[in-house]
Amino acid sequence: MLTIKNLHAEVEDKKILKGINLTVNAGEVHAIMGPNGSGKSSLASVLAGRENYHVTEGEVLFDGMNLLDMAPEIRAREGLFLAFQYPIEIPGVSNINFLKTALTEIRTYKGLAPLDAKEFLRLTKEKQKLVEFDAKLVNRSLNEGFSGGEKKRNEILQLAMLEPRLAILDETDSGLDIDALRIVSKGVNKLRSEKNAFVMITHYQRLLDYIVPDFVHVLYDGRIVKSGTKELALELEEKGYDWLKEQVDEKQAEEKQLGEMQLGEKEAIQ
Amino acid sequence: MIKDLTIPLYGELENGFDTLIAAAGRAKEGNEVLKGRKTAFHTFTERGFPTIKNEDWKYTNITRFLKDDFAIQTPPANPSTGLNAYVHPEPVDHALVAGAGIESLDCYQLTLVNGNLLSADGASHRLPEGIRLITIAEAVQDPGLAACFGHSEESEKYHFTALNAALFSNGLFIEVKAGFSLDKPLHIIHVFTSGYNLLVQPRHRIVVNRNASVTIIESVVGSVPEAKLFVNSLTEIVLEADSKMDHYLVEMAGVNSRLVQHTMVSQKKNSVYNNYTFCLQRSDLLRNELHVLLNEEHTETNLYGLYLASGNQLVDNHTFVEHRKPNCYSNELYKGVLSEQSSGVFNGKIHVYKDAQKTNAFQQNNNLLMGRKATVDSKPQLEIYADDVKCSHGSTVGQFSDEALFYLRARGIGEETAKGLLINAFAFDVTEKIKIPELEAHVNKLISGRIF
């Protein structure tokens, strides 16, 4: 479904991603973990098409299509969804109108007729129940005055409504209390299927107790430095990231040394 | 007369005035009205058109909009036959009129073409007894109304109002009888159209008597594909004690039109005036002057405005609230969205007289700039001579939130639609004030329909 090959990206001339390789197939759940500043959210932003990120090398294929050539709305219509780490408040745009517009645009893109008011309301109610979203909030302005938990739940409601094939959850667990975390996870678990895939970006193992991943990757300094199964997350929880960082830094230092030595040898020969 | 060779209209006005007066005489206008026209014309000739040296026209250089050769609209040939007299010489674009219609709104509807009431509309006959509606061409022949159209310093106070008072052609006179409340909104569609360069000067007068109330919606549409049209309109509104008026303006005039519209409202004791101005036009220039005189105590005034401009458009809203007496309340909120290389002007003046203690006057103007070359001049202007008042004003100029735009696009909403949603959201503080749901939906649709 998603194939990332040697992806390099930068923001304001600062290199953030330094060669990411990742393949996600339908039906899989991947967790991406890593210390602060390792590039996790940047990866999510690049995939969703945030404008200030510049891809300098590599490619991303989404069902064989070049994802990086698409405008953000086309990516969304093709079935990519990013649950924002910090959902935006937009006063004056009602939640329900926003959902309706998004759904209509996606359906139109797929050549489907827009849902009529009755069907739309039925669908909204059904999905609201699924993510235990307070009905009162649906008619309010988009995320305006919502608590942190309500905002994150609203992201999952949108996810449920728009039914993407690939969902990237960017630290959806941050700022959630235990109850909210459970509700959000329950929603995601209900939405899991053979046809869709999830990429969860998180700091903590806690989320993975609720949403069990098939694969766990550790991102450090713009690269995936280790991949494994859910046991890797438990190991990280226990040992932290330092041992991995040390490994990587040592390896880099070795490579650098090796490079210098080789260069020195060449010079000597000359 | 001021000699400005770059404005051929000066010569046209001078030569044309006598002809117009003769025509007005033929139309049996009362002497008092004719005298009023002459004094007003004299005032205008002394003053001429404003230039950027006039403080009120500092940001709007009107000269460039006056340079074309304009003919002057003549009064209707035969005004004496009443409401159904006017037949516009060219077919009126029905799509324009239909476009101004407000979906599923139950209302009384009238159509005016260049200020003349269109005969095809029988709606006026269905108006209830409590409303008197006649054309201005008729009103000026009524000796009982002569005083309204005779010499008045108030009407001659400004450059353009003096010119209108001298040369107004036609329009509507509406009077709501004491104690009467109109059950449905009265929707007036103003169509401005011409096949040649033309100066049109409609004049209207609305009187809401004691304890009466009315809702009036005015839509301005127009199509001038091959010529330039200049509209200089004057609307005078009188609110008697305990009366109430909700006044909506939906500006949708087309390209090649330039509009200078003056609305002068005088309020008496306990009266309430709510004005909602939506500038969604395509015209080159729109200058609104909204002047409210609070002549007695305990009045309430709410002015809400929204202006959108794109291309090379210039939209200019001048409001002026004069607190002349104590215990009056006025509140104003104007918001603007300027895209491409358009320009916006907001000038909100509040004058609190020395006697006007316990005045509450609030004003807010917010602008959103969407184009790198778009500009706005926002000028709140408070002159306070009383010492026991509550007054505030604020003005902001901001830009689009890229984050909000990205959020919407990341949900599959196309860039244009997303911008439309965000503009609607910005406008929401103003549009939510509309008390008629059908009209609110109509205005929101018009806002979304603007391509940025």
Side-chain angles (χ1 to χ4, degrees):
Chain A
M1 182 182 280
L2 182 78
T3 314
I4 303 173
K5 290 181 197 161
N6 192 29
L7 183 65
H8 287 70
E10 52 185 46
V11 177
E12 288 161 5
D13 296 332
K14 195 182 164 212
K15 290 188 174 69
I16 304 284
L17 302 182
K18 303 172 182 172
I20 301 249
N21 291 293
L22 180 68
T23 303
V24 178
N25 297 309
E28 293 176 353
V29 174
H30 290 244
I32 295 180
M33 304 182 73
N36 287 329
S38 58
K40 301 189 299 294
S41 288
S42 297
L43 175 62
S45 293
V46 170
L47 293 177
R50 203 183 278 273
E51 260 167 16
N52 47 342
Y53 286 82
H54 299 289
V55 174
T56 50
E57 212 182 319
E59 64 173 352
V60 180
L61 298 175
F62 187 44
D63 278 344
M65 294 171 294
N66 185 350
L67 186 77
L68 302 175
D69 275 354
M70 300 176 196
E73 58 268 34
I74 303 296
R75 299 179 194 204
R77 292 171 195 171
E78 285 289 350
L80 182 98
F81 182 96
L82 169 66
F84 280 57
Q85 184 179 1
Y86 304 108
I88 313 296
E89 293 192 16
I90 310 185
V93 173
S94 82
N95 221 349
I96 193 90
N97 187 25
F98 161 69
L99 282 171
K100 193 158 192 237
T101 310
L103 192 65
T104 304
E105 296 243 328
I106 290 172
R107 288 181 66 91
T108 308
Y109 181 80
K110 291 177 177 165
L112 300 168
L115 294 181
D116 66 35
K118 220 172 138 187
E119 288 171 318
F120 176 74
L121 274 177
R122 191 195 50 74
L123 183 72
T124 314
K125 270 192 186 155
E126 180 196 315
K127 302 297 183 185
Q128 249 167 255
K129 225 183 252 173
L130 189 79
V131 298
E132 298 179 40
F133 191 77
D134 189 343
K136 280 195 300 263
L137 297 176
V138 170
N139 291 315
R140 287 243 306 262
S141 278
L142 185 50
N143 293 327
E144 192 192 21
F146 285 23
S147 72
E150 285 168 341
K151 281 182 188 169
K152 294 296 174 78
R153 245 183 281 176
N154 199 11
E155 294 293 289
I156 305 303
L157 174 66
Q158 293 164 28
L159 171 66
M161 292 287 292
L162 304 179
E163 297 179 324
R165 286 180 298 144
L166 176 67
I168 303 164
L169 311 184
D170 189 5
E171 300 203 15
T172 296
D173 53 337
S174 70
L176 289 187
D177 59 34
I178 286 293
D179 291 331
L181 182 67
R182 199 163 48 222
I183 292 166
V184 165
S185 310
K186 218 166 92 189
V188 171
N189 283 327
K190 282 182 194 161
L191 296 168
R192 277 174 83 162
S193 82
E194 283 302 306
K195 288 178 190 155
N196 61 23
F198 286 83
V199 173
M200 294 186 298
I201 291 168
T202 181
H203 267 293
Y204 306 105
Q205 202 271 333
R206 198 178 63 171
L207 175 70
L208 308 181
D209 286 341
Y210 294 94
I211 309 171
V212 182
D214 301 301
F215 301 98
V216 175
H217 312 275
V218 181
L219 199 63
Y220 175 61
D221 194 24
R223 287 190 197 96
I224 289 178
V225 293
K226 200 167 179 66
S227 293
T229 53
K230 62 177 194 267
E231 283 74 24
L232 175 60
L234 292 170
E235 197 180 347
L236 289 169
E237 181 79 2
E238 199 182 310
K239 301 205 247 169
Y241 291 113
D242 287 346
W243 63 281
L244 261 177
K245 283 188 197 172
E246 278 163 22
Q247 271 187 12
V248 173
D249 293 342
E250 259 171 44
K251 205 173 149 197
Q252 272 180 353
E254 269 172 31
E255 276 168 11
K256 204 176 157 196
Q257 234 174 358
L258 198 70
E260 275 164 11
M261 274 164 67
Q262 280 168 343
L263 200 70
E265 277 167 23
K266 266 187 202 167
E267 276 167 4
I269 291 164
Q270 279 168 351
Chain B
M1 178 67 85
I2 291 164
K3 298 289 176 208
D4 182 342
L5 295 175
T6 62
I7 301 178
L9 188 55
Y10 278 121
E12 188 69 23
L13 286 168
E14 198 161 26
N15 298 331
F17 185 67
D18 294 337
T19 327
L20 281 153
I21 287 292
R26 271 202 310 281
K28 296 180 212 143
E29 275 189 21
N31 274 337
E32 202 174 332
V33 180
L34 286 174
K35 225 174 104 187
R37 284 186 184 275
K38 282 174 190 161
T39 0
F41 193 67
H42 182 71
T43 310
F44 173 75
T45 52
E46 283 189 337
R47 241 184 247 153
F49 289 110
T51 68
I52 48 167
K53 285 176 192 154
N54 296 89
E55 184 65 25
D56 280 337
W57 291 88
K58 197 172 162 186
Y59 305 107
T60 297
N61 184 358
I62 193 77
T63 312
R64 66 189 173 102
F65 298 104
L66 287 164
K67 281 185 173 164
D68 303 275
D69 282 302
F70 288 103
I72 303 165
Q73 185 194 25
T74 47
N78 187 13
S80 54
T81 40
L83 280 178
N84 275 344
Y86 184 75
V87 178
H88 191 68
E90 296 148 45
V92 175
D93 187 350
H94 285 287
L96 270 180
V97 180
I102 299 155
E103 208 181 313
S104 58
L105 177 68
D106 188 14
C107 63
Y108 302 102
Q109 191 166 304
L110 301 168
T111 306
L112 270 67
V113 180
N114 294 348
N116 299 303
L117 186 68
L118 202 64
S119 66
D121 258 310
S124 54
H125 297 293
R126 294 197 298 274
L127 277 172
E129 289 282 303
I131 295 253
R132 183 184 181 203
L133 187 144
I134 56 174
T135 64
I136 290 295
E138 286 175 292
V140 288
Q141 296 180 44
D142 184 338
L145 298 174
C148 306
F149 303 101
H151 170 67
S152 131
E153 273 179 21
E154 238 22 294
S155 336
E156 284 175 21
K157 208 166 170 180
Y158 303 94
H159 298 83
F160 279 96
T161 58
L163 183 61
N164 182 293
L167 287 166
F168 63 88
S169 53
N170 207 348
L172 288 179
F173 176 88
I174 300 168
E175 187 175 6
V176 188
K177 290 180 183 160
F180 182 77
S181 291
L182 190 61
D183 55 339
K184 292 186 282 192
L186 172 61
H187 185 200
I188 302 167
I189 300 173
H190 301 273
V191 180
F192 292 111
T193 180
S194 177
Y196 52 93
N197 291 355
L198 185 66
L199 168 68
V200 180
Q201 303 198 80
R203 182 170 183 178
H204 312 287
R205 187 175 178 88
I206 301 165
V207 179
V208 188
N209 282 307
R210 282 187 85 100
N211 256 320
S213 76
V214 67
T215 297
I216 294 182
I217 304 167
E218 294 186 70
S219 295
V220 180
V221 293
S223 157
V224 209
E226 281 151 17
K228 308 279 182 205
L229 186 71
F230 200 106
V231 178
N232 170 29
S233 75
L234 172 61
T235 303
E236 285 161 300
I237 296 171
V238 178
L239 296 182
E240 294 292 344
D242 302 301
S243 68
K244 191 185 170 201
M245 178 170 174
D246 282 343
H247 191 189
Y248 296 92
L249 285 151
V250 186
E251 306 280 357
M252 293 185 279
V255 288
N256 291 334
S257 48
R258 296 98 190 247
L259 299 96
V260 175
Q261 305 187 126
H262 212 109
T263 306
M264 218 176 262
V265 184
S266 65
Q267 286 189 246
K268 290 194 182 157
K269 210 173 150 190
N270 297 326
S271 63
V272 179
Y273 178 71
N274 297 319
N275 181 293
Y276 312 77
T277 298
F278 298 97
C279 307
L280 309 169
Q281 73 294 337
R282 295 272 174 205
S283 56
D284 312 340
L285 166 75
L286 173 61
R287 159 87 170 211
N288 286 322
E289 293 259 4
L290 179 54
H291 188 172
V292 187
L293 311 171
L294 308 179
N295 288 325
E296 290 184 11
E297 288 190 53
H298 298 288
T299 59
E300 182 184 330
T301 311
N302 293 293
L303 310 179
Y304 303 111
L306 175 74
Y307 46 95
L308 306 187
S310 55
N312 289 313
Q313 281 187 300
L314 171 55
V315 59
D316 177 347
N317 281 285
H318 266 62
T319 63
F320 183 17
V321 181
E322 286 191 48
H323 281 264
R324 291 178 170 176
K325 297 286 172 195
N327 297 308
C328 292
Y329 170 90
S330 74
N331 175 39
E332 179 170 14
L333 172 66
Y334 266 66
K335 292 187 114 177
V337 182
L338 291 315
S339 67
E340 293 167 356
Q341 57 275 4
S342 64
S343 318
V345 179
F346 172 80
N347 190 117
K349 189 169 168 184
I350 297 172
H351 186 124
V352 181
Y353 285 67
K354 206 177 164 193
D355 289 344
Q357 299 295 3
K358 306 281 180 197
T359 285
N360 281 306
F362 309 107
Q363 185 191 90
Q364 181 73 36
N365 174 234
N366 307 105
N367 298 282
L368 192 58
L369 290 184
M370 287 180 61
R372 279 175 194 277
K373 289 182 178 170
T375 57
V376 67
D377 292 292
S378 173
K379 184 178 161 199
Q381 198 181 343
L382 270 63
E383 287 179 32
I384 302 169
Y385 299 97
D387 51 16
D388 184 13
V389 300
K390 258 188 226 159
C391 292
S392 72
H393 70 86
S395 168
T396 65
V397 179
Q399 276 164 9
F400 235 39
S401 154
D402 288 337
E403 270 300 295
L405 190 62
F406 176 66
Y407 189 58
L408 297 175
R409 292 178 72 190
R411 293 296 174 259
I413 300 172
E415 194 172 354
E416 295 298 317
T417 314
K419 282 184 178 173
L421 275 176
L422 291 176
I423 289 164
N424 266 317
F426 177 77
F428 178 72
D429 300 336
V430 178
T431 54
E432 69 157 356
K433 300 292 192 302
I434 302 175
K435 293 179 198 159
I436 307 165
E438 294 87 349
L439 180 61
E440 189 180 350
H442 176 73
V443 168
N444 278 328
K445 212 165 133 189
L446 288 172
I447 296 170
S448 309
R450 297 261 335 208
I451 298 158
F452 283 87

